[in-house]
Amino acid sequence: MKAVDVFDYLKNNEYPGRGIMICRTPCGRKIRIGYFIMGRSENSRNRVFVEEGQGIRTEAFDPSKMVDPSLIIYAPVRVHDDTTIVTNGDQTDTIYDFLGEGKSFEDALRTRQFEPDEPNYTPRISAIVKKDKYQMSILKSFGGDPVFNQRQFFDYDAKPGYGHIVHTYKENGNPIPSFEGEPVLFEVVKEPFEAFSKHLWEALNKDNKVSLFTRSIDLETGETETMIFNKNEK
């Protein structure tokens, strides 16, 4: 697979939905994580990211306008010991609990399935990062079927200068077509973490983007830097 420019990749997609990206800096010293949410409805757009412990959660920007909190209010990022969990739904908690029981990422996600939002059947995308290795997963409907699942798992050694991105939708549409294939390989531009984060935020469609979380993890010290971008600012 040829590596893409992740900023151009996102600029050319009006609606990739929610997305997870993980990469290793060209110097090899740090892992970077990104998680973004987008929205087309007023309910989906009425959200912000807020920090919670070592992770984040989604929160209604205007509680009076919240129609249905299911599927849109959850903790996208949690940390269990030295493992960072990133997902697009409440499967974050499932993975966290399973890791606490000494079970695996795969064990946790085999108990879950795609979101019940007919007719889209939005995929559940998930990832964990532990030191210089990461795993990604996609749980999606088997050909638009409301019952049967495809559960895909991907296991990577973090190679300096490269990363992968996975997102819920292939592109905009009605119903919205699910992401296809394996996570997309991208090459990491040599730039400071703050610049990387700002470029990622700028690459997301200005009408549909809602929030972005980014984190840098130093592989030697474990120290982290975090940035949060919200279209709705409190």
Side-chain angles (χ1 to χ4, degrees):
M1 180 185 295
K2 184 178 179 181
V4 302
D5 179 315
V6 73
F7 304 123
D8 286 343
Y9 177 81
L10 290 170
K11 284 177 183 176
N12 291 325
N13 192 336
E14 179 186 43
Y15 197 66
R18 286 163 278 172
I20 298 170
M21 55 188 299
I22 300 169
C23 61
R24 189 171 180 177
T25 54
C27 66
R29 291 173 47 214
K30 297 182 179 182
I31 294 287
R32 289 177 180 171
I33 299 169
Y35 176 67
F36 61 82
I37 60 174
M38 306 183 84
R40 300 192 304 178
S41 68
E42 182 179 10
N43 198 45
S44 292
R45 292 177 175 181
N46 182 33
R47 290 183 288 174
V48 292
F49 284 166
V50 295
E51 291 192 75
E52 183 175 64
Q54 293 178 286
I56 59 168
R57 59 183 168 85
T58 59
E59 184 178 275
F61 174 66
D62 184 346
S64 69
K65 293 181 178 179
M66 178 59 65
V67 177
D68 180 7
S70 66
L71 302 180
I72 65 171
I73 300 299
Y74 56 92
V77 180
R78 295 186 70 182
V79 177
H80 184 279
D81 294 334
D82 60 352
T83 300
T84 303
I85 307 163
V86 189
T87 90
N88 72 326
D90 63 11
Q91 70 268 29
T92 306
D93 299 330
T94 306
I95 296 167
Y96 185 92
D97 291 343
F98 269 63
L99 293 180
E101 295 170 4
K103 298 178 182 178
S104 71
F105 178 65
E106 293 90 343
D107 289 336
L109 291 171
R110 287 193 178 103
T111 70
R112 303 302 303 267
Q113 65 174 35
F114 51 86
E115 295 182 353
D117 58 337
E118 185 181 4
N120 297 315
Y121 299 121
T122 299
R124 288 189 187 272
I125 55 173
S126 309
I128 58 171
V129 180
K130 185 172 183 177
K131 299 182 180 178
D132 61 349
K133 300 184 185 300
Y134 58 96
Q135 293 176 270
M136 288 181 152
S137 172
I138 310 166
L139 311 182
K140 59 189 294 187
S141 165
F142 196 112
D145 191 284
V147 176
F148 293 94
N149 293 269
Q150 296 182 66
R151 294 185 177 91
Q152 301 170 295
F153 298 95
F154 306 89
D155 198 333
Y156 300 104
D157 294 330
K159 182 178 179 180
Y162 291 91
H164 290 87
I165 180 171
V166 61
H167 42 93
T168 51
Y169 305 127
K170 179 181 177 183
E171 58 194 2
N172 210 347
N174 193 19
I176 318 173
S178 292
F179 180 88
E180 295 179 351
E182 64 183 86
V184 175
L185 176 70
F186 66 89
E187 192 164 1
V188 182
V189 177
K190 186 178 180 180
E191 61 182 347
F193 172 64
E194 183 176 351
F196 166 83
S197 302
K198 288 180 177 178
H199 288 155
L200 185 56
W201 180 241
E202 291 165 0
L204 298 171
N205 181 273
K206 64 182 180 63
D207 296 321
N208 295 319
K209 66 184 177 183
V210 175
S211 297
L212 168 68
F213 159 91
T214 57
R215 174 164 290 170
S216 173
I217 305 173
D218 189 298
L219 288 172
E220 183 177 346
T221 67
E223 292 181 355
T224 64
E225 293 179 78
T226 298
M227 295 191 72
I228 292 176
F229 299 79
N230 289 310
K231 190 172 183 179
N232 297 313
E233 289 290 350
K234 292 195 172 184

